[in-house]
Amino acid sequence: MKLETKLLESKTLIDTTIDLSHLIERSVDLIALNNVQIKGTIYRQYDEVQCDLSVQLEVVQKCTYTLQAVHYPLEFDCIINFSNDEETYDYIPQDIIDLDEVIFAEILLYKEPNVYHESASGEAFQLAQEPHPAFKSLKEKKKD
């Protein structure tokens, strides 16, 4: 979804569903982002834009151990500022704002860093800890 900054009203309400499937390949652990619902208000003052948004979606992410699909809901609120003010900006103002890219970046911030499928067992991925051979002989000497 593209927003042309000059055509935005001073206050614009947004309530839409967007498709982010074209951005999934950028993330190594995401399989899908389903039903991405965006609601909120976009404020414009001259060339500055503030997006006060609520985002709801279903995340399908790869299990950290088995790479199986793990589905979970994600919901968050965010305020995104397009401004030239170095103290408050998130992004530099542009003539056309690609809302898909901005929302995808926010989802990457809010999603779980690691998810585990219910059938995953971390024990299969634990290395057996054997002492270094030099220390093994010390252990045997200590037993004596």
Side-chain angles (χ1 to χ4, degrees), residues 25-39:
E25 64 189 33
R26 293 186 184 179
S27 179
V28 296
D29 64 342
L30 289 178
I31 298 172
L33 298 172
N34 300 326
N35 305 320
V36 181
Q37 180 70 34
I38 301 169
K39 293 181 183 179

Side-chain angles (χ1 to χ4, degrees), residues 6 12 14-15 25 40 44 48 50 61 73 77 82 118:
K6 293 177 183 176
T12 305
I14 186 170
D15 185 0
E25 64 189 33
R44 182 183 69 86
E48 295 186 1
Q50 180 179 352
Q61 192 171 341
D77 296 327
F82 293 85
E118 58 191 27

Side-chain angles (χ1 to χ4, degrees), residues 1-120:
M1 174 180 212
K2 307 252 190 234
L3 301 174
E4 193 167 341
T5 307
K6 293 177 183 176
L7 298 179
L8 289 172
E9 299 292 328
S10 61
K11 181 178 179 181
T12 305
L13 297 177
I14 186 170
D15 185 0
T16 188
T17 301
I18 60 174
D19 179 22
L20 299 177
S21 59
H22 62 285
L23 298 172
I24 295 295
E25 64 189 33
R26 293 186 184 179
S27 179
V28 296
D29 64 342
L30 289 178
I31 298 172
L33 298 172
N34 300 326
N35 305 320
V36 181
Q37 180 70 34
I38 301 169
K39 293 181 183 179
T41 309
I42 300 173
Y43 302 97
R44 182 183 69 86
Q45 188 173 31
Y46 304 110
D47 66 338
E48 295 186 1
V49 176
Q50 180 179 352
C51 302
D52 187 1
L53 304 173
S54 176
V55 181
Q56 295 177 335
L57 67 142
E58 179 194 36
V59 178
V60 184
Q61 192 171 341
K62 295 176 187 172
C63 170
T64 302
Y65 290 143
T66 64
L67 302 180
Q68 291 178 312
V70 177
H71 299 254
Y72 63 93
L74 180 62
E75 185 176 332
F76 60 89
D77 296 327
C78 60
I79 297 175
I80 304 164
N81 292 309
F82 293 85
S83 172
N84 287 317
D85 183 1
E86 293 179 2
E87 294 182 17
T88 62
Y89 80 98
D90 295 310
Y91 297 93
I92 297 172
Q94 301 173 353
D95 292 337
I96 297 178
I97 296 171
D98 188 351
L99 199 58
D100 291 356
E101 294 274 348
V102 173
I103 296 300
F104 183 72
E106 291 293 316
I107 290 170
L108 292 179
L109 290 174
Y110 284 97
K111 73 174 184 61
E112 294 294 327
N114 296 304
V115 294
Y116 303 99
H117 191 269
E118 58 191 27
S119 66

